Amino acid sequence: MILNKVVYGSVTLLDIVIALVVLLIAFLVAKILSLYLRRFLKEKVAKGHLEIIAKVVSYTIIIVAVLAILPTIGIKLSGLLVAGGIAGLAIGFASQSIIGNLISGIFLMIERPIKIGNSVNIEGTGGIVEDIRIISTTIRTFDGLYIRVPNQKVFTASITNFVANVARRFEYVVGIRYSDDADKALETIKNIIEDHPLALKNPAPQVFVDNLGDSSVNIIVRIWAPSTEWFGVKTELLWKIKKAIEKEGIEIPFPQRVLWFANEPKAQEVRTSESHDSGSH
Amino acid sequence: MFGNYDVPVNIAQEGISLSIQTEGGSLRYIRECLGEKVEKIILTNSSKILINPIEPLSKPKELTPYLLIELGNALVVEPKATQKVFMKFPIEIGVFISKDGDLEILDVFTLLKPKFTLYGDPRIGFICKYFKSDVYPSVPAADCLHEGVIELNITNTTTSWIEVTKAIFNAYGMKIYYNDNLVSMRANMKVKGAQIAESDFIDSPFETEMRKSLELYAVRKLSIASTKSVMELGL
């Protein structure tokens, strides 16, 4: 029978077919199970967690299947350990960046400094995390670009996760004229913040005169907002504050400097005497 | 204002203007309230409308299922005791459309100024809808288009005196009842430690003839993990 034909060593064609079938079944089971998990856990688990669970289950099934079929196709796992030493060295040199990325990917999944859907900045690349794969992480920048960052870079880079905490603070400096009523300005700004639903009640906003600047009395405004909403609140409130304080007759001054000219008194004297002369004629 | 309506509907009350008129083979829904105008065309010719108070967590944006009520006066509860108090809670008004028993939310609005707050710290806390209410020994008067009254049974299970300054409720478990004059809820709050409490709702009205509100989360057919809320970061 053709299936009993030896292909190499003691491995027959039947062994290879069995190995391929097992591998195919493993791929199918992994695919079906990850699809089922995604559907079953969709509303019970956060999207980021769900992707990781599905991937871990899928990769585990495939790795177990590959390890299981190796003896069938004549590759002894004990022999692999010996051969692996030499091959590993060669492969290691050739694929050190891939292995580095793979290990970084595993550590990223364990440490989880970022999750899918988070708004982040990874060494100057800002955007939304689209996917965390085993080798790389994909980011959709705020202007809609697709960026693939190798996991090794993500793991070693300094990461700013803008939404890791549920709330965050932002700050403005509002300068008013020295002639304006600072108490009235503080009151007006506090009322505007109080009226905004997404400016959090607690932690309470801070509004205070911070310093007496060269051209203005500087008021610091610190507001907490939900992390998912802070940017919209920040842009909206700044303009509302500007309009509200101007409505109260308070102005935000331009930088100004008073200059005294050294010969000004003399010039003024000349102008004064000229006007007297013309008056006497 | 609350109740079932047949089309056409025309309501003008306390700054709310709501109308549903037949227009050819469809309906035109127009609602104005506090400067906000919503207009929708509904492709049906025979539907029923239900207006009732709903969980106060949709406006201006659905950010959280939690409602935090800050107490105007702190409550000090004796050890191993259960006390009943009343507070007010904010309401939102839901407009539902139904046909053959299949309900769908059409619009949500509120007459109150919404506000959010953070419970706990930014790292492990959570965002809550905020409302401040005094504590009353009996059912207070409340404008049912703005506020409801919640009966809170506080049980101090500890052996120490406990001071309570706020209560957090999970909207997924809210059981709102209403009649022409009152919107109500009943809840339990079990204090388990100086910083820990758990609250849930009782599914029964103040008075027998009150109608149960259609819950927004029930209409959305969400699978709910828990209807309780746990306060672990201070009372």
Side-chain angles (χ1 to χ4, degrees), chain A residues 166 195-196 199 201-202 229, chain B residues 61 113 115-118 122:
Chain A
V166 291
D195 278 349
H196 199 290
K201 186 84 182 171
N202 181 45
E229 311 295 325
Chain B
K61 202 169 185 181
K113 206 166 60 178
K115 193 78 180 163
F116 287 89
T117 191
L118 174 70

Side-chain angles (χ1 to χ4, degrees), chain A residues 1-21:
Chain A
M1 200 176 160
I2 194 165
L3 287 174
N4 289 328
K5 191 182 167 190
V6 175
V7 181
Y8 61 88
S10 61
V11 179
T12 62
L13 195 60
L14 182 66
D15 293 330
I16 292 173
V17 171
I18 288 170
L20 286 174
V21 169

Side-chain angles (χ1 to χ4, degrees), chain B residues 110-127:
Chain B
T110 182
L111 290 167
L112 287 178
K113 206 166 60 178
K115 193 78 180 163
F116 287 89
T117 191
L118 174 70
Y119 172 68
D121 64 60
R123 194 174 61 84
I124 54 169
F126 49 89
I127 301 289

Side-chain angles (χ1 to χ4, degrees), chain A residues 12-166:
Chain A
T12 62
L13 195 60
L14 182 66
D15 293 330
I16 292 173
V17 171
I18 288 170
L20 286 174
V21 169
V22 170
L23 202 60
L24 190 71
I25 291 170
F27 270 110
L28 277 173
V29 169
K31 188 82 184 164
I32 291 166
L33 204 61
S34 67
L35 270 175
Y36 177 77
L37 277 175
R38 279 194 179 94
R39 198 175 299 165
F40 182 70
L41 299 176
K42 193 176 177 184
E43 285 178 356
K44 294 178 178 147
V45 180
K47 196 187 168 197
H49 294 200
L50 183 60
E51 284 301 314
I52 289 163
I53 291 169
K55 275 175 194 166
V56 166
V57 169
S58 178
Y59 288 133
T60 307
I61 290 169
I62 291 164
I63 289 167
V64 168
V66 168
L67 290 175
I69 62 167
L70 286 178
T72 315
I73 56 171
I75 301 167
K76 296 268 185 309
L77 287 175
S78 53
L80 261 187
L81 288 174
V82 180
I86 303 158
L89 204 64
I91 295 168
F93 276 114
S95 60
Q96 56 176 317
S97 65
I98 294 174
I99 302 296
N101 283 324
L102 183 89
I103 291 167
S104 300
I106 291 166
F107 278 106
L108 274 178
M109 286 175 185
I110 294 167
E111 194 196 337
R112 313 196 67 231
I114 55 172
K115 295 175 194 164
I116 293 170
N118 283 175
S119 174
V120 298
N121 188 308
I122 301 169
E123 270 197 347
T125 307
I128 311 287
V129 178
E130 290 273 282
D131 201 359
I132 305 167
R133 297 198 188 101
I134 202 82
I135 301 290
S136 65
T137 296
T138 50
I139 292 171
R140 176 170 42 87
T141 63
F142 297 118
D143 41 4
L145 303 177
Y146 168 96
I147 292 184
R148 176 187 172 278
V149 188
N151 279 342
Q152 202 169 10
K153 194 177 173 193
V154 177
F155 192 65
T156 52
S158 62
I159 298 171
T160 307
N161 189 334
F162 297 113
V163 293
N165 294 335
V166 291

Side-chain angles (χ1 to χ4, degrees), chain B residues 4-225:
Chain B
N4 288 299
Y5 293 87
D6 286 314
V7 177
V9 180
N10 272 305
I11 297 169
Q13 197 176 336
E14 288 199 36
I16 304 165
S17 158
L18 192 153
S19 86
I20 304 173
Q21 303 297 332
T22 309
E23 214 176 68
S26 59
L27 305 176
R28 182 177 287 272
Y29 172 85
I30 302 172
R31 188 267 299 164
E32 283 183 78
C33 170
L34 298 178
E36 183 193 42
K37 185 176 181 182
V38 172
E39 199 167 342
K40 291 180 180 180
I41 292 168
I42 309 156
L43 299 179
T44 180
N45 44 22
S46 61
S47 292
K48 287 195 175 294
I49 301 296
L50 167 67
I51 302 175
N52 70 208
I54 56 165
E55 304 92 322
L57 298 150
S58 301
K59 290 299 214 175
K61 202 169 185 181
E62 203 175 315
L63 287 180
T64 172
Y66 296 106
L67 169 69
L68 183 149
I69 300 181
E70 187 186 335
L71 310 184
N73 356 58
L75 277 174
V76 182
V77 191
E78 64 176 325
K80 297 284 178 192
T82 300
Q83 301 288 339
K84 184 197 285 185
V85 292
F86 294 88
M87 300 181 303
K88 291 181 183 178
F89 70 94
I91 60 158
E92 285 175 10
I93 299 167
V95 182
F96 299 87
I97 188 161
S98 74
K99 185 158 188 181
D100 304 329
D102 193 14
L103 283 144
E104 186 55 58
I105 186 78
L106 193 60
D107 188 19
V108 176
F109 58 95
T110 182
L111 290 167
L112 287 178
K113 206 166 60 178
K115 193 78 180 163
F116 287 89
T117 191
L118 174 70
Y119 172 68
D121 64 60
R123 194 174 61 84
I124 54 169
F126 49 89
I127 301 289
C128 300
K129 193 80 173 273
Y130 174 85
F131 188 74
K132 188 169 184 175
S133 167
D134 285 334
V135 179
Y136 306 90
S138 58
V139 180
D143 181 346
C144 65
L145 289 180
H146 292 76
E147 300 159 328
V149 176
I150 184 166
E151 176 195 301
L152 187 65
N153 299 290
I154 303 181
T155 304
N156 181 358
T157 62
T158 71
T159 52
S160 327
W161 289 82
I162 294 288
E163 186 175 293
V164 180
T165 59
K166 55 180 100 59
I168 295 179
F169 302 101
N170 186 341
Y172 292 136
M174 286 182 180
K175 308 291 175 197
I176 302 173
Y177 286 84
Y178 68 95
N179 59 22
D180 291 340
N181 308 310
L182 182 68
V183 176
S184 73
M185 278 199 296
R186 299 179 70 206
N188 291 318
M189 184 177 178
K190 203 176 278 182
V191 179
K192 295 180 168 177
Q195 301 285 315
I196 304 167
E198 190 180 273
S199 67
D200 61 357
F201 291 92
I202 305 166
D203 193 1
S204 69
F206 282 11
E207 299 158 16
T208 47
E209 69 274 15
M210 292 182 100
R211 292 185 60 186
K212 189 175 180 182
S213 275
L214 185 65
E215 294 154 23
L216 189 60
Y217 293 102
V219 175
R220 287 177 182 168
K221 298 179 182 73
L222 295 176
S223 56
I224 309 296

